[in-house]
């Protein structure tokens, strides 16, 4: 079983960057109609989100977040021995994006670079990878860059997805230090690979002139095979089965409970889902920060974006439980000691 | 856990956003004006939370009336 535990490794700082361009859900009346739109906004809790301008990529947002973090923490760049970049929307099909980030950030050629790809569970998974490398005696600091720009891969004629997704890039620095124990529990169920999917453009279904054509896939929903599909009911059903039980297991395994955890950071899927988990697990409302009202669902970047936008100056000497879940299907929990974690001010470009 | 018709209608009030007096167990709830993708999620969430019953989209397809919901709960 994929259970990882670390002592004396932790997060030094977190930063995030979002585009200045604000997209408001109330402007989707043409797509959804007034009554349905009001009901959707009330249920998902998302008023607005940030969308990149054409040509701006997740790696650009991560780059800006990384610059902020390096400056705020006064990091000696030669101490960064590993860059991890997690996104489902890298700059190119080949090569990986992390080496270009190493170059753009002016990091030494002795820096190892790895791209990772996972959806909404990605931050917790990638953080566990960062901790594993950072625990090695010969690795100084690990720079974890997690970003998404789903506005580039969601059809604006898709009633399910158009009101949900925003864009952001984040940076997290991980190193050895005087940290308490942190634990990670990682899970997968690939039988549900079709529940959230972009079907075309990969090796299984290469791009053709047909795959790029937009067509009505369900009543009122049009998209190409290169744009995101989600079966909301199946995804919700999956999360009902796995999220509360995985959180209970993480609490038990780490000898914690609802009182000893200061903040529960859920992937910001939608408000309905987060409220459901919070009530089911009997967690106090003020322990569950919500960033989706202003930034939407930013896939793997929601958890660090929530830290930056809702927990700045509140996170030192705290214990956090992180829960990420989504496409794959994939889910993960972490219990972290954030004793030495500094949070940068949100950057907007 | 067994449940009566009247108790179920009270629980479903929040799901369908309908007064229990306007619902009958014979009703095909998918014909309600209020039935949409968000109501589906609310029904699935309520079945999980109140009765510990997990319903996937195929199973939900087969449930059409409130009586079907009642049978599902009382036979689980």
């Amino acid at each position: 079983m994929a259970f990882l535990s670390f002592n004396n490794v932790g997060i030094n700082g977190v930063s995030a960057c979002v585009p200045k361009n604000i997209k408001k859900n109330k402007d989707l009346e043409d797509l959804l109609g007034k009554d349905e739109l009001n009901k959707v906004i009330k249920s998902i809790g998302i008023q607005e989100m940030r969308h990149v301008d054409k040509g701006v990529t997740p790696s650009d947002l991560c780059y800006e977040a990384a610059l902020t973090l390096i400056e705020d923490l006064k990091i000696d760049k030669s101490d960064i021995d590993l860059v991890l970049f997690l996104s489902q929307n890298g700059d190119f099909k080949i090569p990986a994006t992390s080496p270009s980030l190493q170059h753009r950030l002016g990091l030494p050629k002795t820096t190892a670079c790895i791209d990772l790809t996972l959806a909404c569970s990605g931050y917790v998974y990638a953080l566990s990878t960062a901790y594993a490398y950072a625990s090695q005696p010969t690795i100084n600091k690990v720079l974890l860059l997690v970003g998404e720009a789903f506005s580039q891969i969601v059809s604006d004629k898709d009633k399910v997805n158009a009101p949900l997704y925003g864009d952001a890039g984040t940076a997290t620095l991980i190193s050895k230090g005087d940290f308490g124990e942190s634990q990670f529990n990682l899970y997968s169920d690939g039988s549900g690979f079709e529940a959230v999917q972009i079907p075309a453009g990969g090796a299984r279904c290469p791009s053709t002139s047909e795959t790029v054509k937009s067509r009505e896939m369900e009543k009122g929903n049009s998209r190409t095979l290169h744009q995101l599909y989600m079966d909301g009911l199946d995804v919700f059903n999956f999360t009902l089965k796995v999220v509360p039980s995985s959180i209970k297991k993480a609490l038990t395994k780490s000898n914690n409970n609802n009182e000893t955890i200061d903040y529960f950071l859920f992937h910001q899927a939608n408000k309905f889902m987060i409220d459901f988990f919070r009530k089911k697990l009997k967690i106090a409302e003020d322990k569950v920060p919500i960033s989706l009202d202003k930034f939407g669902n930013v896939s793997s970047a929601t958890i660090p974006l929530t830290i930056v936008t809702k927990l700045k100056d509140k996170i030192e000497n705290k214990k956090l439980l992180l829960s990420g879940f989504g496409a794959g299907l994939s889910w993960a929990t972490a219990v972290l000691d954030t004793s030495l974690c500094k949070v940068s001010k949100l950057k907007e470009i | 856990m067994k449940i009566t018709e009247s108790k179920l209608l009270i629980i479903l009030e929040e799901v369908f956003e309908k007064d229990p007096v306007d619902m009958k167990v014979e009703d095909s709830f998918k014909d309600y004006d209020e039935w949409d993708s968000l109501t589906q999620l609310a029904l699935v969430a309520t079945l999980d939370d109140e009765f510990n019953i997990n319903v996937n989209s195929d199973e939900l397809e087969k449930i059409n009336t409130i009586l079907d919901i009642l049978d599902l709960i009382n036979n689980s």
Side-chain angles (χ1 to χ4, degrees), chain A residues 243-297:
Chain A
V243 173
S245 61
S246 68
I247 289 174
K248 282 181 193 165
K249 274 183 202 156
L251 288 173
T252 305
K253 204 172 257 181
S254 62
N255 292 319
N256 278 295
N257 55 50
N258 286 2
E259 306 309 315
T260 59
I261 298 290
D262 295 293
Y263 295 108
F264 291 79
L265 284 155
F266 287 95
H267 161 57
Q268 305 280 297
N270 62 67
K271 186 79 167 37
F272 177 84
M273 213 182 256
I274 295 175
D275 282 347
F276 182 82
F277 294 143
R278 181 176 57 73
K279 286 176 193 164
K280 195 170 177 75
L281 292 163
K282 298 182 172 57
I283 303 167
E285 197 169 0
D286 60 357
K287 289 192 171 196
V288 182
I290 299 285
S291 66
L292 53 69
D293 53 335
K294 296 282 180 198
F295 299 98
N297 174 345

Side-chain angles (χ1 to χ4, degrees), chain A residues 53-169:
Chain A
D53 291 329
K54 202 168 181 214
V56 177
T57 70
S59 79
D60 294 332
L61 299 173
C62 287
Y63 168 75
E64 295 293 338
L67 287 183
T68 301
L69 194 64
I70 288 168
E71 192 180 320
D72 287 357
L73 296 181
K74 298 182 174 49
I75 302 165
D76 180 347
K77 289 181 182 178
S78 64
D79 281 347
I80 297 175
D81 289 325
L82 173 68
V83 172
L84 294 171
F85 173 69
L86 182 135
S87 178
Q88 293 164 110
N89 212 4
D91 289 355
F92 304 103
K93 207 148 174 81
I94 293 177
T97 305
S98 49
S100 73
L101 282 163
Q102 168 263 333
H103 173 67
R104 290 168 72 188
L105 289 166
L107 304 181
K109 290 177 184 169
T110 49
T111 309
C113 292
I114 307 172
D115 278 20
L116 303 168
T117 174
L118 274 172
C120 307
S121 63
Y123 185 69
V124 185
Y125 259 87
L127 202 56
S128 75
T129 311
Y131 272 60
Y133 272 93
S135 66
Q136 291 297 302
T138 50
I139 298 288
N140 282 311
K141 297 185 188 318
V142 177
L143 181 62
L144 169 62
L145 305 175
V146 175
E148 285 296 358
F150 269 36
S151 66
Q152 298 171 325
I153 51 172
V154 164
S155 165
D156 56 11
K157 294 184 180 62
D158 184 331
K159 290 179 181 183
V160 175
N161 292 308
L164 286 177
Y165 293 100
D167 305 339

Side-chain angles (χ1 to χ4, degrees), chain A residues 39 234 236-237 241 280, chain B residues 34 36 41 48 54-55 57:
Chain A
K39 194 173 173 184
D234 277 353
F236 183 54
N237 214 285
K241 278 189 206 159
K280 195 170 177 75
Chain B
E34 295 81 358
D36 59 19
L41 294 188
D48 177 278
N54 205 269
V55 181
S57 49

